[in-house]
Amino acid sequence: MKNTKNQKKSSRYTINNTVVKKAIAIFLSAAIILGAVAGILNFFGVFQQFTVSVKGTEYKFSLAEYNFYYYNMAMNYTQQSNKYDANYGEDSGITYIGYDYRKTPDAQEYTDAMSSTTGYTLEALGNPDNPTWEDVFKKASIEQLIQVKFGAEKAKEANLTLDDSEINKITNSIDDERRTATANDYSLNRWLRMQYGNGVNEKLLRKIYEEQTLATKYYETLQKRTLDTITEEQVISRYNEKKDDYDITSLRIFGINPINDDGTGIDEEYRKKTESRIKAMFSEITDEKSFVKQVELDVKLNTEESEDFDSNLVTAAQNVTYKELAEVDEKLAKWAYDDKRQVGDKEIIVTDNSVYFIVLMIELPHKDISISSGDVRHILIQFPKKNTDGTETTKKDDDGNTILNVTAKTKEETRVKAQRILDEYTKNPTEENFIALVKEHTNDTASAETGGLYENVSSSSSFVAGFKNWAINSARKTGDTGIIETEYGYHIMYYVESNGNAWYEQVKQDIFYEDYTKQTDDLLEDYYTRINTNSILINWTTNNQNELIGKQITGSF
């Protein structure tokens, strides 16, 4: 009987073990199935439809929308970095913008030194541990998303809608993606997932484009409305209150820094010598000509830089503002903008760092009445790819930079072609005729459809010097024409109009910026702080995006 009991007991345990094993097997099977289902749901972007809300507002966005913005942000920097490397040599992208196109955002350290490129300090990012470019792209993507959502909603409130041309433009952009997808043997939605991340499909892409277009429309309308409300009285009042912020002055300045060659501090003997040099020059300076001459003599006697030193150029401080002078030293700015100052006044100014300056007043502070910016049209006649003798019109210098190699004969032939077109214009000197000639002859494809128009060309614009200088010449009048040469070829220029005096436009722009910021940035800044950029959902989908970017870098789809 005892043996029988033991056998039954043993049998009971055997059954229980089998149950446990079955339970484990079922659990593992369920986990595998759930994992597979999760993978499928992730692939088709189901999880990416989860939304993130901006606390206290009606604004929210899906993870798929975030994926789109994060990807585009990263790709923008990737392309910039790659372009720098292609144009200026390996690692130039890292040097100029701090970003390495060969790495994913999470694999690249981010420092405050890079904030000049992005606008984000570590403090603005919340001082993250081990900061990377991922932190920048996360914050920038979310801020851009909020800007678009806010602008699109405000557009609807203002009854702004998309017109047919805007809808067609969006459709054409999507069709471009469709053609690219077809060329690579993918469906459109599969292609969009590969390019922008899971959850991005045709429907979402159209929604994103529509919201971006509406937001742009709202912000442009707001900008115009804000500008239009600024009165002349406001501008004049602001100028009178803060003249020193806007007036410009011209000086001659020369400074000597009596510091040790090794940078360890002030060399007292050299300081005394510097003081003697400065006082000797000062006693001989009576006007601008003598100032330049004294500096030239001093440099020849006391330095080894005389051969390359242009005292006329180096000492000229023309049309500078109080702020620009204060960046050199506050004492310089205060001296120049003192109400007692007279033309011809001179002074020795010693800074708190013991730098010795001689200054000579050339022009008293005054309104900058130069043209703030000009609107122009142009017809570009490019230099051909080859000279008349068969050689290339560009070549590489010793540093690998592309430089012009245009022969005199090729230049002349190009100029003659430009002159013929200008002569054709003078037969019917109207802006309409110039626009027609632009569409017929220009090599500048970027401006061909707008009749060669470039608006608001100013001294700070990125145009080449010759083009820019022609556009902002204060003597220019509507209808003026001319031919100028730049590195691109010959430009047949047409002057449309000026946009007012520099001082007036600068004051107006400052008022506009303050008013516009109150209606946008100040409000949005509060919204930005209402989202946790390190939430589980955002971190999860960001990791997926970094993996996608990594695959695109290596080409391992």
Side-chain angles (χ1 to χ4, degrees):
M1 292 293 294
K2 187 175 181 181
N3 289 338
T4 303
K5 287 181 179 178
N6 287 339
Q7 286 173 0
K8 287 183 178 179
K9 188 174 182 181
S10 176
S11 177
R12 190 184 302 122
Y13 286 141
T14 300
I15 291 170
N16 288 343
N17 287 338
T18 301
V19 170
V20 171
K21 289 177 181 177
K22 285 183 177 179
I24 291 172
I26 291 169
F27 175 79
L28 290 174
S29 297
I32 292 169
I33 291 169
L34 287 173
V37 170
I40 293 170
L41 293 176
N42 180 41
F43 177 80
F44 285 105
V46 176
F47 293 144
Q48 282 75 17
Q49 302 314 311
F50 292 157
T51 59
V52 177
S53 297
V54 182
K55 294 178 183 177
T57 77
E58 69 275 27
Y59 306 118
K60 61 184 179 180
F61 56 86
S62 68
L63 296 183
E65 289 175 285
Y66 168 82
N67 285 348
F68 178 86
Y69 282 88
Y70 183 91
Y71 172 86
N72 275 297
M73 193 72 64
M75 283 301 103
N76 180 42
Y77 276 87
T78 296
Q79 290 165 7
Q80 283 187 58
S81 177
N82 194 2
K83 188 174 181 180
Y84 272 112
D85 274 26
N87 291 336
Y88 305 111
E90 188 175 1
D91 292 337
S92 293
I94 299 173
T95 300
Y96 288 105
I97 64 173
Y99 192 78
D100 188 345
Y101 68 92
R102 296 157 296 194
K103 296 180 180 179
T104 56
D106 58 320
Q108 302 187 55
E109 181 187 10
Y110 183 82
T111 67
D112 264 333
M114 299 167 184
S115 63
S116 59
T117 300
T118 66
Y120 291 101
T121 62
L122 292 179
E123 183 180 2
L125 296 175
N127 292 311
D129 296 330
N130 304 313
T132 67
W133 278 84
E134 175 189 294
D135 296 301
V136 177
F137 294 156
K138 280 201 297 186
K139 185 170 179 62
S141 301
I142 289 171
E143 289 185 358
Q144 191 175 12
L145 256 168
I146 294 174
Q147 288 168 16
V148 170
K149 294 288 184 182
F150 175 84
E153 187 61 34
K154 290 296 182 183
K156 292 174 185 176
E157 291 175 8
N159 295 319
L160 295 173
T161 58
L162 301 180
D163 58 35
D164 289 342
S165 66
E166 290 165 335
I167 293 171
N168 289 337
K169 187 176 180 180
I170 290 170
T171 299
N172 290 338
S173 295
I174 294 173
D175 286 344
D176 286 342
E177 294 276 10
R178 195 188 316 277
R179 280 188 287 272
T180 305
T182 301
N184 287 278
D185 296 326
Y186 290 107
S187 68
L188 175 58
N189 285 342
R190 176 71 180 110
W191 176 256
L192 294 177
R193 285 199 302 272
M194 290 174 60
Q195 291 302 306
Y196 301 112
N198 291 336
V200 180
N201 53 33
E202 180 179 359
K203 182 180 178 180
L204 179 65
L205 188 63
R206 183 175 291 277
K207 176 190 173 185
I208 289 171
Y209 286 164
E210 287 176 350
E211 287 184 340
Q212 288 178 341
T213 307
L214 273 175
T216 300
K217 207 165 189 174
Y218 166 73
Y219 288 125
E220 287 177 348
T221 301
L222 180 60
Q223 287 171 7
K224 185 178 185 305
R225 186 168 70 240
T226 304
L227 271 174
D228 289 346
T229 60
I230 299 172
T231 65
E232 183 176 351
E233 289 75 16
Q234 279 181 281
V235 174
I236 293 173
S237 175
R238 170 70 169 256
Y239 169 78
N240 288 332
E241 287 174 10
K242 301 186 175 184
K243 287 179 64 176
D244 286 355
D245 288 352
Y246 301 106
D247 281 354
I248 57 173
T249 186
S250 294
L251 313 160
R252 287 286 176 178
I253 303 176
F254 181 66
I256 304 175
N257 188 359
I259 197 167
N260 285 321
D261 292 338
D262 59 7
T264 56
I266 301 297
D267 183 322
E268 183 58 26
E269 184 177 345
Y270 186 41
R271 188 197 66 74
K272 291 179 179 178
K273 182 181 178 182
T274 297
E275 186 175 355
S276 297
R277 285 168 59 187
I278 289 289
K279 287 182 177 180
M281 283 190 284
F282 185 79
S283 65
E284 298 295 326
I285 291 173
T286 56
D287 55 17
E288 195 170 2
K289 185 177 179 180
S290 61
F291 189 105
V292 173
K293 185 64 176 177
Q294 286 300 311
V295 171
E296 181 182 345
L297 291 172
D298 177 84
V299 171
K300 282 183 178 180
L301 288 171
N302 297 286
T303 74
E304 298 176 356
E305 304 173 2
S306 58
E307 290 185 8
D308 300 322
F309 191 85
D310 185 338
S311 57
N312 183 52
L313 179 64
V314 171
T315 62
Q318 294 180 310
N319 299 328
V320 291
T321 63
Y322 184 100
K323 182 180 179 181
E324 288 169 334
L325 284 173
E327 287 174 355
V328 179
D329 192 84
E330 188 74 29
K331 291 180 181 178
L332 280 173
K334 287 181 176 179
W335 181 85
Y337 280 78
D338 190 320
D339 290 340
K340 299 176 183 177
R341 195 59 50 231
Q342 298 291 324
V343 172
D345 283 356
K346 61 180 182 176
E347 187 65 80
I348 295 174
I349 296 175
V350 184
T351 71
D352 293 339
N353 296 324
S354 297
V355 178
Y356 286 76
F357 284 101
I358 301 178
V359 288
L360 174 70
M361 178 58 68
I362 306 301
E363 283 186 309
L364 294 174
H366 60 279
K367 288 180 180 177
D368 184 358
I369 60 172
S370 64
I371 292 175
S372 64
S373 65
D375 298 344
V376 298
R377 298 185 186 276
H378 85 133
I379 302 170
L380 172 63
I381 306 301
Q382 282 182 319
F383 293 126
K385 291 185 177 180
K386 290 191 175 182
N387 290 302
T388 52
D389 61 7
T391 58
E392 300 286 335
T393 52
T394 60
K395 65 178 183 179
K396 298 287 187 181
D397 63 15
D398 294 339
D399 296 322
N401 300 313
T402 301
I403 59 173
L404 283 179
N405 185 41
V406 185
T407 64
K409 186 176 181 181
T410 300
K411 274 191 178 185
E412 179 59 18
E413 289 179 352
T414 308
R415 189 199 65 77
V416 168
K417 183 178 179 181
Q419 185 62 54
R420 288 199 195 102
I421 297 170
L422 181 58
D423 291 343
E424 188 175 346
Y425 161 78
T426 57
K427 294 175 184 177
N428 178 22
T430 64
E431 188 171 0
E432 290 73 19
N433 185 34
F434 193 92
I435 292 170
L437 291 171
V438 169
K439 295 181 178 180
E440 183 180 352
H441 296 289
T442 192
N443 294 133
D444 180 11
T445 55
S447 68
E449 290 303 313
T450 60
L453 181 65
Y454 283 104
E455 297 177 301
N456 300 312
V457 181
S458 68
S459 58
S460 59
S461 298
S462 58
F463 296 98
V464 289
F467 188 98
K468 185 163 53 179
N469 292 340
W470 195 93
I472 62 175
N473 188 324
S474 57
R476 203 69 63 209
K477 293 181 176 61
T478 296
D480 282 358
T481 57
I483 295 176
I484 61 172
E485 179 190 341
T486 72
E487 61 197 73
Y488 298 105
Y490 284 93
H491 305 254
I492 306 156
M493 306 293 293
Y494 177 92
Y495 195 74
V496 180
E497 62 180 352
S498 70
N499 295 309
N501 295 132
W503 76 270
Y504 189 94
E505 294 303 317
Q506 183 60 60
V507 177
K508 187 176 181 179
Q509 187 63 34
D510 286 351
I511 297 172
F512 160 76
Y513 180 77
E514 289 176 2
D515 291 349
Y516 182 75
T517 298
K518 289 176 184 176
Q519 301 174 77
T520 55
D521 292 8
D522 287 353
L523 183 60
L524 291 171
E525 193 66 40
D526 177 49
Y527 292 169
Y528 299 155
T529 63
R530 300 186 187 192
I531 289 184
N532 177 14
T533 58
N534 286 312
S535 70
I536 293 173
L537 283 176
I538 290 176
N539 282 339
W540 170 74
T541 201
T542 299
N543 288 337
N544 288 343
Q545 289 304 90
N546 289 335
E547 289 179 11
L548 172 65
I549 293 165
K551 289 178 180 178
Q552 295 200 354
I553 291 171
T554 59
S556 57
F557 282 107

